[in-house]
Amino acid sequence: MKRPTIADIARQAGVSKGAVSYALNGQPGVSEATRQRILAIAREIGFNPNSAARALSGATANAVGLALRRPARILGIEPFFMELISGVEAELSARSYALTLQIVADAETEIAVHRRWWGERRIDGVFLCDLRVDDERVPALEELGLPTVVIGGPGHTGRLASVWADEEAALVETVEYLVALGHRRITRIGGLPGLLHTEIRTRAFTEVCRRLDLTRTRTVPSDYTGEEGARVTRRLLSSAERPTALVYDNDVMAIAGLAVAQEMGLSVPADLSIVAWDDSPLCQLVHPSLTALSRDIPAYGARAARQLLSAIAGHPITAYQTETAHLTPRGSTAPPRPLSPPI
């Protein structure tokens, strides 16, 4: 499939390309009813009148797009996305490509942004992040024929290529490590429900806990923010049977959780072990430094960029599995403190 053109509009409207040109440029030569019909078709297929000259020239944009459905304030403190974008930018800049970034409120807005970018020839391809289960953006991008690389998976990507890592294996390694230390009361503070990687981690956590016969474990949903991570942690640590180990779905929540534990007078790791998903410099700057799941996130972004540039160049691409995050033990994990004998 290709970008929408004047010929596409003319064919759908049943008029000549000249009539379409008149209508798009506000010139006389067509009736008002025909003009409105042409403009409606142009909007529907994502063709913007201002892009007509560029469309006729066949020029490429030398840019790719990334629309993120996350609050801008979260992105400013989210090391994962900053590192991912740094890897993408390193690869793009070496090829004289630019990255167009836009924050969106919902899937419908994101799809509209993709249609506009593609129709106006602002971009030559896009990255799709934060994949959902049964994600409505996937069929929309397939229909557009817009070169796309999904950052995430596996599965649920339709005919779109993807770059993904094994979330399940990393989660299993983490739980088995904590169990080997002697922990039995383990709680995971998860990310946003509905995200595919959140669902994969939740399922993997449930299954490995069942296999290891852990009956006092659970996942509590959160939203990746430090504020929510702190609130959930305070509630868990105030419960009658508080967990001895907490696994957080990102580093920001883990750092907030560490602060709450210390504020409540708990010793980390003697009273509570903490593990953060996706290592970052922040994990090593706090005291104690946080045990974390480590991987080369800039390399992850760079691989996604290479895949997308290959797709733009017309080369066939498929799903690519990157390295699995590995556990890096630090000062925030240790065997749980033995229970005091009854008096």
Side-chain angles (χ1 to χ4, degrees):
M1 296 184 66
K2 56 185 178 62
R3 288 182 172 93
T5 65
I6 288 177
D8 296 327
I9 300 172
R11 184 166 52 255
Q12 288 195 37
V15 298
S16 67
K17 289 189 288 186
V20 173
S21 181
Y22 291 148
L24 295 178
N25 292 291
Q27 297 176 348
V30 293
S31 69
E32 186 57 29
T34 299
R35 186 187 311 278
Q36 292 305 319
R37 187 169 81 256
I38 288 171
L39 292 175
I41 292 170
R43 286 192 297 269
E44 181 183 340
I45 68 174
F47 187 94
N48 190 293
N50 294 330
S51 67
R54 188 176 183 86
L56 289 171
S57 72
T60 57
N62 277 52
V64 298
L66 172 60
L68 289 174
R69 204 189 318 174
R70 297 283 186 97
R73 65 181 182 84
I74 293 179
L75 291 180
I77 59 170
E78 177 63 81
F80 172 82
F81 275 112
M82 294 302 99
E83 292 186 46
L84 182 76
I85 290 172
S86 74
V88 168
E89 281 283 13
E91 197 67 30
L92 293 180
S93 61
R95 314 281 189 92
S96 298
Y97 261 75
L99 177 67
T100 299
L101 175 66
Q102 184 163 333
I103 305 299
V104 296
D106 49 44
E108 184 179 342
T109 304
E110 183 174 345
I111 291 169
V113 166
H114 289 149
R115 289 186 184 280
R116 187 178 73 251
W117 281 348
W118 186 233
E120 294 177 354
R121 296 186 172 246
R122 294 189 183 186
I123 49 94
D124 300 317
V126 294
F127 298 107
L128 187 66
C129 286
D130 284 344
L131 191 65
R132 267 77 175 171
V133 178
D134 299 323
D135 200 313
E136 61 190 289
R137 299 171 299 169
V138 170
L141 286 167
E142 288 177 332
E143 180 185 356
L144 277 178
L146 172 56
T148 303
V149 167
V150 180
I151 300 178
H156 300 267
T157 62
R159 298 191 305 274
L160 303 179
S162 65
V163 175
W164 61 281
D166 191 340
E167 308 275 344
E168 180 177 350
L171 196 288
V172 169
E173 180 189 6
T174 300
V175 174
E176 289 180 340
Y177 165 74
L178 291 172
V179 169
L181 289 177
H183 292 278
R184 293 297 180 270
R185 300 199 303 272
I186 305 169
T187 296
R188 171 175 160 265
I189 291 82
L192 291 166
L195 294 180
L196 180 61
H197 70 263
T198 300
E199 300 303 320
I200 290 173
R201 294 177 188 181
T202 299
R203 184 176 64 249
F205 183 75
T206 301
E207 290 176 356
V208 69
C209 289
R210 183 184 299 117
R211 175 170 61 82
L212 297 175
D213 198 26
L214 303 177
T215 58
R216 293 181 288 180
T217 59
R218 59 172 168 158
T219 290
V220 180
S222 188
D223 66 356
Y224 293 120
T225 65
E227 294 85 354
E228 182 67 6
R231 187 190 68 78
V232 171
T233 301
R234 188 172 289 106
R235 175 162 56 84
L236 290 169
L237 298 184
S238 300
S239 62
E241 191 180 60
R242 70 169 186 255
T244 63
L246 295 175
V247 180
Y248 293 84
D249 262 19
N250 77 347
D251 49 352
V252 173
M253 292 195 297
I255 292 166
L258 172 64
V260 167
Q262 293 173 334
E263 170 193 308
M264 295 177 68
L266 297 177
S267 172
V268 177
D271 296 316
L272 178 71
S273 285
I274 291 177
V275 178
W277 199 296
D278 280 332
D279 197 3
S280 74
L282 295 178
C283 292
Q284 301 173 55
L285 292 175
V286 295
H287 182 75
S289 56
L290 295 182
T291 295
L293 284 156
S294 305
R295 56 176 168 164
D296 191 340
I297 299 172
Y300 189 32
R303 166 57 66 176
R306 289 196 295 274
Q307 290 283 88
L308 184 54
L309 290 171
S310 292
I312 291 169
H315 304 307
I317 59 171
T318 57
Y320 183 93
Q321 182 178 356
T322 63
E323 66 165 327
T324 301
H326 61 276
L327 198 67
T328 302
R330 298 196 184 100
S332 68
T333 48
R337 192 192 297 275
L339 295 174
S340 300
I343 297 175

